[in-house]
Amino acid sequence: MKHAGICLAAALSVMAGATGSAQDKNRNDLKKPLVIASQGSFFVGGEKKSIQAGDVTVNQMYVQYQIPSNGNRHLPVVMVHGCCLSSKTWETTPDGRMGWDEYFVRRDRPVYLADQVSRARSGFDASTISAVKAGTQPPSALPNIIYASQQIAWTVFRFGPKFGEAFPDGQFPIQAVDELYKQMIPDLNALLPNPNPTWKNMAALAVQLKGAILMGHSESGFFPQQAALLDPSGIRGMISIEMPCPDLSADQIAKLAKIPTLVMFGDHLGDVKGGPANWAQSLETCNVYVQKVKDAGGDAVMMYLPKMGIKGNSHMLMQDRNSLQLADLIIDWIDKHVEKK
Amino acid sequence: MKHAGICLAAALSVMAGATGSAQDKNRNDLKKPLVIASQGSFFVGGEKKSIQAGDVTVNQMYVQYQIPSNGNRHLPVVMVHGCCLSSKTWETTPDGRMGWDEYFVRRDRPVYLADQVSRARSGFDASTISAVKAGTQPPSALPNIIYASQQIAWTVFRFGPKFGEAFPDGQFPIQAVDELYKQMIPDLNALLPNPNPTWKNMAALAVQLKGAILMGHSESGFFPQQAALLDPSGIRGMISIEMPCPDLSADQIAKLAKIPTLVMFGDHLGDVKGGPANWAQSLETCNVYVQKVKDAGGDAVMMYLPKMGIKGNSHMLMQDRNSLQLADLIIDWIDKHVEKK
């Protein structure tokens, strides 16, 4: 039972507390009851589309939130998951530890988890699939559905050099990898119009919240920037975790340079060969992006973790064993670069 | 902004509190901060399947939970949504009021929300769609995807006699119907093997929780019973909201009669003509089912709301304006028939 496991871990941690380090001590409060001022869920965006069965709503984005009792002290953080995943990314880790969703709330941040448009509780536009079944469109009209198979995930997420072999210093809780596999779900983003409605919805959510920090990962790593290029007015900070950075025009860079930016990359970027991702190259493109933002007078920080002495992080670093240490780095960055406290 | 709306409603409610009824007064505590002993998410079930891209996990069920500080006093309640919907069903209502998920937690019940297998964060088996695109299976192999279009939902969910016309005494917050439309997502249950893996997963979850009350609605209304027929050992109570009741054998009835059962139906069952649902007939079949369970010595209760003087409830009664009154009926039933306090 997952939460029984968590309780046991919590109890053991309390027992160990007396001899723990300052950082351990700092986290003893995580075992206290969580006090929520308000919570709930809602949708952002969505348009009516007429299909054979009648009118349906498409392109809406499902958002689930928790506001802690001290939440008015800090800006909300919006977390958006990557390819072939849902908001589960940010929740309880595969090995049953607290996710970033709750940790940020316990650090007094209102947290908003968004399922990307066309994924999970946001639903998707199924009309093409129905039309192919009905014979009114050819099979070639079907979307290219992306799966992260277990074999692909192992290497693309950098658990080890090849499937079944883990990096000796890897931070991912590899004994619980089967639980990660359960959260990998088909990616239907190929069904989406261009530009991706998630970008507009993220920008709209930031406006609705009267200011928010947007965080993306992998497939959605640059979504905070894509949202800001559409409407920067609500976006107070952008956190981008492990993705390729595109080549942007000087105008685009100037627009993005007005918003504090954090980019984070884990370890072993060049230690996995082949596959659809080239993380070493992604880091390079993001180093270029960060430098361009700085050259344009912006505040951009690259946290390349191994360079900071933090070793072994996978692509799923929010689920890695040191995930709360990384969360603390992000919260510290928010305090110093966005909220300037 | 949804939660701002809730806060406003809360403030108005506090202002009205001094002159409110006993029941209003009883709900003033809902504005207090929510205290959570633990929360998180996990999966139940799931099997490895080999597809062209490698191995993927299918048939897993995503579960999100909150355990209140007094949660050890009461049995957990597992809520499973209906057709073309997700666990959003039980969360913040379309007009921004507290959902049953939080209300049950505030009434000291641990609450577990499960996305049905093949829906939302549980993912789905997309291999048939990919095979049809690749030309290795014919278009006829594609699933019959069920959409609840706005037109179909209006009448099937009994908001009014025909699309765009609401029942004068209807309890559904019809001004917010567009927000309901956003939570209606394509139903891929046609992809599922037989028996539906959600049944096995619900039974397994009840065992894992060392005893739980299972609640289903509409498409999942009889899932608690289907789960109990597979493995009743963890199931302490079954709550079935608005569905047809199937004809069962005496053996099956005898098995189900060992578990306290509540069936609930709303209003206007015969006041909508045509469409894929026949609610008046569904009530009749469930009256027969309830009587058979009683005849077998079981404890079964039919709450046909209009007969109890509660008028105007729609099919989405957990989102209706009197949703908390209905939740109180269920909680009272749990206390008296399941926990026998």
Side-chain angles (χ1 to χ4, degrees):
Chain A
M1 192 166 59
K2 287 295 158 312
H3 51 284
I6 295 169
C7 292
L8 179 61
L12 290 172
S13 181
V14 167
M15 288 159 65
T19 56
S21 68
Q23 194 172 63
D24 288 342
K25 200 176 168 187
N26 182 35
R27 299 212 181 100
N28 275 340
D29 67 306
L30 302 185
K31 274 80 75 175
K32 289 184 193 164
L34 175 65
V35 183
I36 297 292
S38 67
Q39 64 176 17
S41 61
F42 58 92
F43 289 88
V44 179
E47 298 110 44
K48 188 157 86 169
K49 176 172 178 169
S50 296
I51 62 167
Q52 211 183 352
D55 298 325
V56 295
T57 304
V58 297
N59 299 335
Q60 68 274 32
M61 182 175 81
Y62 169 83
V63 182
Q64 199 164 26
Y65 70 92
Q66 288 192 310
I67 301 175
S69 27
N70 290 329
N72 53 349
R73 291 192 202 159
H74 292 285
L75 283 166
V77 179
V78 177
M79 302 181 180
V80 183
H81 61 84
C83 167
C84 323
L85 295 162
S86 70
S87 293
K88 171 62 181 152
T89 296
W90 313 103
E91 299 175 343
T92 314
T93 65
D95 57 336
R97 287 170 293 113
M98 185 182 293
W100 279 9
D101 64 333
E102 182 173 336
Y103 187 69
F104 275 72
V105 169
R106 284 181 179 270
R107 291 293 174 258
D108 297 337
R109 322 283 151 159
V111 169
Y112 292 72
L113 304 184
D115 284 346
Q116 281 193 42
V117 175
S118 81
R119 202 85 51 77
R121 295 181 182 167
S122 293
F124 63 96
D125 181 355
S127 56
T128 304
I129 300 171
S130 295
V132 173
K133 183 171 177 75
T136 57
Q137 285 200 53
S140 60
L142 289 170
N144 270 314
I145 299 177
I146 309 176
Y147 304 84
S149 72
Q150 301 179 5
Q151 286 78 5
I152 290 172
W154 190 284
T155 49
V156 169
F157 294 175
R158 305 193 315 276
F159 300 148
K162 61 181 185 187
F163 183 60
E165 187 183 319
F167 289 122
D169 70 344
Q171 291 278 8
F172 187 80
I174 201 69
Q175 80 284 2
V177 70
D178 284 345
E179 296 304 309
L180 171 73
Y181 294 153
K182 293 177 188 173
Q183 57 183 274
M184 300 188 319
I185 62 178
D187 185 321
L188 295 165
N189 280 19
L191 286 171
L192 293 175
N194 190 7
N196 184 335
T198 297
W199 305 346
K200 189 178 69 174
N201 292 342
M202 287 172 72
L205 176 57
V207 170
Q208 188 173 321
L209 297 175
K210 302 189 197 309
I213 295 160
L214 302 184
M215 185 191 296
H217 170 238
S218 197
E219 179 183 65
S220 73
F222 215 71
F223 283 13
Q225 286 80 359
Q226 299 287 11
L229 290 172
L230 292 174
D231 177 6
S233 60
I235 305 172
R236 300 283 174 269
M238 302 187 291
I239 300 167
S240 294
I241 303 171
E242 292 217 349
M243 70 288 156
C245 284
D247 201 20
L248 299 177
S249 70
D251 275 0
Q252 290 172 313
I253 291 287
K255 204 168 180 181
L256 296 178
K258 293 179 180 154
I259 307 170
T261 299
L262 169 64
V263 182
M264 184 179 274
F265 273 85
D267 202 353
H268 295 298
L269 301 184
D271 298 342
V272 176
K273 302 296 172 207
N278 185 334
W279 294 120
Q281 190 178 55
S282 294
L283 174 67
E284 274 178 44
T285 59
C286 290
N287 275 328
V288 169
Y289 165 68
V290 164
Q291 191 56 50
K292 280 188 181 174
V293 171
K294 285 180 178 172
D295 291 346
D299 175 2
V301 172
M302 166 63 78
M303 290 190 188
Y304 175 38
L305 296 172
K307 213 172 158 181
M308 301 164 69
I310 302 172
K311 306 284 189 181
N313 276 110
S314 77
H315 182 55
M316 299 303 292
L317 52 80
M318 72 293 289
Q319 303 180 351
D320 282 351
R321 278 192 297 266
N322 61 344
S323 57
L324 301 188
Q325 181 189 2
L326 306 185
D328 284 340
L329 287 176
I330 292 174
I331 289 168
D332 190 54
W333 174 83
I334 291 173
D335 289 348
K336 290 186 177 140
H337 292 260
V338 183
E339 303 184 350
K340 300 187 178 170
K341 290 186 177 179
Chain B
M1 192 166 61
K2 289 292 159 314
H3 50 284
I6 295 169
C7 292
L8 179 60
L12 291 172
S13 181
V14 166
M15 287 159 65
T19 57
S21 68
Q23 195 171 62
D24 287 342
K25 201 174 167 186
N26 183 35
R27 298 213 181 101
N28 275 340
D29 67 305
L30 302 186
K31 274 80 76 175
K32 289 184 194 164
L34 174 66
V35 184
I36 298 291
S38 68
Q39 64 176 16
S41 61
F42 58 92
F43 290 88
V44 179
E47 297 110 44
K48 188 157 85 169
K49 176 172 178 169
S50 295
I51 61 168
Q52 210 182 354
D55 298 325
V56 295
T57 303
V58 298
N59 299 334
Q60 69 274 33
M61 183 174 82
Y62 169 83
V63 182
Q64 199 164 26
Y65 70 93
Q66 287 192 311
I67 301 174
S69 27
N70 290 329
N72 53 350
R73 291 192 203 161
H74 291 285
L75 284 165
V77 179
V78 178
M79 302 181 181
V80 183
H81 60 84
C83 166
C84 322
L85 294 160
S86 71
S87 292
K88 171 62 182 153
T89 295
W90 313 103
E91 299 175 344
T92 314
T93 65
D95 57 335
R97 287 171 294 114
M98 184 182 294
W100 278 10
D101 64 332
E102 183 173 336
Y103 187 70
F104 275 72
V105 170
R106 284 181 179 270
R107 291 295 173 256
D108 297 336
R109 322 283 151 160
V111 169
Y112 292 73
L113 303 184
D115 284 346
Q116 282 192 41
V117 175
S118 81
R119 203 85 50 78
R121 293 180 182 168
S122 293
F124 63 97
D125 180 355
S127 56
T128 304
I129 300 171
S130 295
V132 173
K133 183 171 177 74
T136 57
Q137 285 200 53
S140 60
L142 289 170
N144 269 315
I145 300 177
I146 309 177
Y147 303 86
S149 72
Q150 300 179 5
Q151 287 77 6
I152 290 171
W154 190 284
T155 49
V156 169
F157 294 176
R158 305 193 316 276
F159 301 148
K162 60 181 186 190
F163 183 60
E165 187 182 319
F167 289 122
D169 71 344
Q171 291 279 5
F172 187 79
I174 201 70
Q175 80 285 1
V177 70
D178 283 346
E179 295 305 311
L180 171 72
Y181 293 153
K182 292 176 188 173
Q183 57 183 274
M184 298 188 322
I185 63 179
D187 185 321
L188 295 164
N189 279 19
L191 286 171
L192 293 176
N194 189 7
N196 185 335
T198 298
W199 304 347
K200 189 178 70 173
N201 292 342
M202 286 172 71
L205 176 57
V207 170
Q208 188 174 322
L209 297 174
K210 302 189 197 310
I213 296 160
L214 302 184
M215 186 191 296
H217 171 237
S218 195
E219 178 183 66
S220 73
F222 215 70
F223 284 13
Q225 286 81 359
Q226 299 287 11
L229 290 173
L230 292 173
D231 177 6
S233 61
I235 305 172
R236 300 283 175 269
M238 303 187 290
I239 300 167
S240 295
I241 303 171
E242 292 217 346
M243 70 288 154
C245 284
D247 201 20
L248 298 178
S249 72
D251 274 359
Q252 290 172 313
I253 291 287
K255 203 169 180 181
L256 296 177
K258 292 178 182 155
I259 306 169
T261 300
L262 169 64
V263 182
M264 184 178 275
F265 272 85
D267 201 354
H268 295 298
L269 301 184
D271 298 340
V272 176
K273 302 297 171 206
N278 185 334
W279 294 120
Q281 190 178 57
S282 294
L283 174 66
E284 273 178 46
T285 60
C286 290
N287 274 329
V288 169
Y289 166 68
V290 164
Q291 191 56 50
K292 280 187 181 174
V293 172
K294 284 180 179 174
D295 292 346
D299 176 1
V301 172
M302 166 62 78
M303 290 190 187
Y304 174 39
L305 297 173
K307 213 171 159 183
M308 301 165 69
I310 301 171
K311 307 283 191 183
N313 276 109
S314 78
H315 183 55
M316 298 303 292
L317 52 80
M318 72 293 289
Q319 302 180 351
D320 282 350
R321 279 192 297 264
N322 61 344
S323 58
L324 300 189
Q325 182 190 0
L326 306 185
D328 284 340
L329 288 176
I330 292 174
I331 289 167
D332 190 54
W333 174 83
I334 292 172
D335 289 348
K336 290 185 177 141
H337 292 259
V338 183
E339 302 184 350
K340 300 188 177 166
K341 291 189 175 178

